Amino acid sequence: MENTIEVKNLRYIYEGFGDEPDVEALRDVSFNVEKGSFTVILGHNGSGKSTLASILCMLAEPTEGEVWINGKLMTGDTVTDEDIFEARRSVGMVFQNPDNQIVATVVEEDVAFGCENLGIPSKEIRRRVDSALDTVGMRKYARHSPHRLSGGQKQRVAIAGVIAMKRDCIIFDESTAMLDPMGRREVMDTIERLNSEDGVTVILITHYMEEAARADKIIVMNEGRVLTEGTPSEVFSDPEKLWEASLDVPQSTELLYRMRKAGLDVRLDIFDFGECADEIARAMSERRRENNG
Amino acid sequence: MAELELSGVNYIYNKGTPYETHALKDINLKIGGGITGIIGHTGSGKSTLVQMFNGLVKPTSGTVKLDGEDIWEKKDRVREARFKAGLVMQYPEYQLFASTVYEDIAFGPRNMGLSEEEVDKRVRAAAAFSKLPPEAMARSPFDLSGGQKRRVALAGVIAMNPAFLVLDEPAAGLDPGGRRSILGGIKEFGKNSGTSVIIVSHSMEDMASYCDRIIVMASGRVIMDGNCSEVFSRYNELIGVGLDVPQVTRIASALSHRGLDIGRDVYTVGYAAGKLCEMLDGDVK
Amino acid sequence: MKMDIAFGQYCEGNSLLHRLDPRVKIIITILYIVAIFMAKNVFAFALMLAFTVALVIMSRLSVRVILGGLKPIMFIALFTAVINIFFYKGDEPLVAFWVIKIYKEGLINAGLIVLRILMLLTATSMFLTYTTTPIALTDGLEQLLSPLSKIGVPVHDFAMMMTIALRFIPTLIEETEKIMNAQKARGADFSSGGLVKRAKAIVPIIIPLFVSAFRRAGDLATAMECRCYTGGKGRTRMNVLRAGARDFLFTFVIIALGAGVILINIYAPGYSV
């Protein structure tokens, strides 16, 4: 499988001002992101996940280590401005604060902003903007002022701006953190659709566990390191480890975990409430059969 | 025990313009003691409601009483209300301004016209809540981490010794560890100081674990008011107004359909696990 | 509403005036101003007035909005009128009282000058504010002035700054309100006390507002960089302003108006200004 992003032994140090000590935000971080996959980077505030995001978007240069984007090395002295521009054309980013990433005073103008920067002909921009607004379900707000939209709608406009540039990989840097549950659902549905229907590679940085449960792969960050990495079932099967990293597991996992500790033989890799009930019911009736037989 | 009472409160803003909105409709509430949660999604009127408590917003009709006194009756009552019902707005760390943590926390008490001695006492007491070491009091609040800033902002309101501590989304944007620590801190503070706490949130899980009473708002009205088990047992109605219930409540309901009835009032994982273990033990016996 | 401060006096609509190319509107406005200052006699003024009334009708805006917009200028207009009435000298005074002499010419002159001020304001706000969003105006100016970028004037950068300012004004107004409420909740008092006390009371608002504005600016710069913004060079636009038949027609009409004014000045002498 082709990798959109490969990261090898990343290290990043924030230099302290004056007599403050340097802070090592990333220590020996390595992982791959497969083309078309849905990867979640999970970590508490200050775990290094945002530093990682800015490195992947070429906004910061790592102190040590390599970043490969679409098979091209993006770190070191040989990288030119054109390379960075090229990488930015394929990797887009949606930020946390919906208000601070919208440039224009009209929704469609904002969606067009990136395409205009790329120097795409007007007619083609119009086509892309209309189709991007359709994809995120914001076409009927095309001529609105972004200021009056809800947080979820603003984020969808920001997403439209990224997909209009035809990027094959989008990084969401805590894009749902400032939204209410409804806005979060809107944005998550849009993200999932982009991934499953349009084949966009998605990297979602978050601390919401429910969002992580939908991923192909979860990378858990703690104290600047990759604490653990795997499918949601693999990662959530060790809740203690996540609790230690100031994270949470879905309530279904927590309940199953507690039941297992009480001696019930249940699986832990279940995130759906119905399946969770099924599993508990199955194990309980099995236990009853054992006791009776 | 201090008491907050709203009777027949209506609020209409942008009256007479195309944007006229009836934000609150005939609210009747009595709050005093414990931790009260106010739930509802954006636009349900919950943020307007909490701004009624300290007189930031004046009702179009109806009365707001603090300890039996109408806060809009006399001009200085409103100012008193600000100190009695201490309001912490969303993302309060964005309102820090002073050059040191100490000065920022002292802003409220100084506005109350207290003596410097009393201010100092209040600041030191409130600072305990921020969990910052004493030497950090001289630091600039802008040098602190996000979580610390939020605690300092909360301490700034706590230092006014309000009878009610009203918090709008105190855990917004924090990671699970941060949420647990700030909500836990608030709960402990309420219990130790006897302050009535009112928390606005849209996280059902948080409300279930921290609140004694839950008020559910939808399109400007109070549609439910009761303790956690009363509210969460009305599962279908909550989902009907676009709200959620804790995942464990859904699991409990699914379990009851599979012949494992642990009750409809399950809203924390600990309680559900306890009930299931009782069943296990019962089986063994 | 307070939220619409950034949109000035713009009134939504779809009239002929609304649909004119903003560049054309800027040029027309300049031509109109020239024409109105060229108008020298009653007949030329009548022509200009007819045209201005036609504009108002075409814009389909309510007369109340337009009259409301004239209010702030009324004092200046009246002041000018009074000065003209008292100091303009004609042949035969209509009224003579002590040192004050009022002439017929003075009255006419005052009337025409007031009319000129009012028409000037009506027409410019009609073209540039009531029917044009600030953003369209910015676009129009950018494209009109773009030849200047060849001699090193950073036209694009100024236009971008304007756009961003317009985008963030409502956001920052909302933020100011939030901060004020938060400080009021801590007992801050913005409405009493002397000048020094009031100035001091602003500190808890200004500082968080600045901190937030800088944070937003930083975020926005990062977001723009991520969206491949590298300045005006090599940039295209989705909506390219294209002047259509109506734009040319309108320009033609206004040139004809100017010509009409000149002809009247020469061939139809009346009470001249």
Side-chain angles (χ1 to χ4, degrees), chain A residues 139-155:
Chain A
R139 182 77 176 266
K140 65 168 182 277
Y141 296 96
R143 300 289 310 155
H144 282 228
S145 153
H147 175 243
R148 286 247 174 88
L149 303 177
S150 74
Q153 289 174 327
K154 283 181 201 163
Q155 287 300 54

Side-chain angles (χ1 to χ4, degrees), chain C residues 162-231:
Chain C
M162 264 301 280
T163 307
I164 291 172
L166 289 169
R167 154 74 186 79
F168 277 92
I169 285 170
T171 309
L172 289 176
I173 289 176
E174 208 173 88
E175 178 120 44
T176 312
E177 254 166 52
K178 258 188 224 160
I179 296 171
M180 274 180 85
N181 272 342
Q183 309 300 30
K184 272 193 209 160
R186 293 209 273 165
D189 185 2
F190 306 120
S191 52
S192 66
L195 202 61
V196 178
K197 196 179 165 225
R198 282 190 195 208
K200 260 186 162 172
I202 292 176
V203 172
I205 302 172
I206 283 292
I207 290 178
L209 192 62
F210 265 70
V211 171
S212 146
F214 281 120
R215 192 184 55 242
R216 287 181 193 279
D219 282 3
L220 187 71
T222 310
M224 286 169 72
E225 201 178 329
C226 268
R227 291 168 78 180
C228 298
Y229 182 71
T230 50

